Amino acid sequence: SFSSMHRYSVVRLLMDVELRARYDKPLKMEVIEEYADWRVLYAVLSLPIPLISSRDFVQAQKTRTTDDGTTIMFNKNISHAARPEVKGKVRGEAVTSGFVIRAKEDDPNSTQATIFLQMNLKGNMPASVMNSKMQGSPVDLRKRLLEFYQKTYKAELEAAGEA
């Protein structure tokens, strides 16, 4: 959860690829196509593991906000002509992933976020290394997002009169 952090800030920090690039250094994202409630993303994940190359992914992302203000972001692995697989680069498979983001019931100015992730990084990587990297991934993302919000983004919102 994110105490004293409104769900709109969490959604924006996860969806805006330029903002996300400022705090989520292992992941570089690019929007290939964008429509009203879905888009196609190309992402490169740099793994901080010696001798293990980066992985790239192409995903369709559908976003929906329910009547109660819950935002659901659902990502699915796809193929796309704009980003074909490249020889020598490992194309990972994000089978399904995403976020469910809602206000905490006892504090509407705080956020409850659920991350779901089913991913195959593929390539030659020991299963124990892959599992340890993937288990810590949601925790690391939360830590980076929260630190960026507290040290930088909150002040930017206040300066813009949006806090």
Side-chain angles (χ1 to χ4, degrees):
S1 67
F2 298 93
S3 295
S4 301
M5 190 171 170
H6 198 278
R7 69 181 181 273
Y8 298 128
S9 292
V10 176
V11 170
R12 186 166 181 205
L13 287 168
L14 288 170
M15 289 195 62
D16 185 316
V17 295
E18 291 176 15
L19 278 173
R20 191 154 177 185
R22 293 172 60 193
Y23 72 86
D24 198 3
K25 302 296 184 194
L27 186 68
K28 304 292 183 227
M29 292 175 39
E30 171 189 349
V31 177
I32 298 173
E33 291 182 43
E34 193 158 15
Y35 303 94
D37 63 348
W38 72 280
R39 62 190 183 167
V40 178
L41 300 170
Y42 175 70
V44 177
L45 177 64
S46 298
L47 300 168
I49 304 167
L51 305 174
I52 302 292
S53 61
S54 298
R55 300 322 199 234
D56 71 340
F57 302 87
V58 179
Q59 296 180 306
Q61 182 183 70
K62 171 100 171 141
T63 304
R64 178 173 169 252
T65 301
T66 63
D67 292 340
D68 70 355
T70 299
T71 299
I72 302 162
M73 289 182 275
F74 179 78
N75 303 316
K76 177 79 175 113
N77 199 66
I78 64 168
S79 297
H80 196 282
R83 290 290 184 265
E85 290 190 45
V86 177
K87 187 175 182 172
K89 194 176 255 188
V90 179
R91 174 65 48 99
E93 181 182 11
V95 179
T96 185
S97 64
F99 305 90
V100 178
I101 300 163
R102 63 176 58 118
K104 289 184 76 174
E105 288 184 21
D106 60 344
D107 181 4
N109 290 316
S110 294
T111 302
Q112 180 69 42
T114 303
I115 300 172
F116 55 97
L117 179 65
Q118 182 183 5
M119 187 175 284
N120 182 350
L121 295 176
K122 295 197 173 181
N124 295 323
M125 185 185 314
S128 61
V129 173
M130 184 182 315
N131 290 339
S132 69
K133 173 61 186 155
M134 297 315 297
Q135 285 176 346
S137 180
V139 173
D140 294 342
L141 173 61
R142 180 194 175 278
K143 181 180 174 184
R144 288 190 300 270
L145 187 151
L146 189 55
E147 184 176 294
F148 176 73
Y149 176 80
Q150 291 172 338
K151 291 184 176 178
T152 306
Y153 190 62
K154 185 177 180 181
E156 291 175 3
L157 288 174
E158 289 169 355
E162 297 179 34

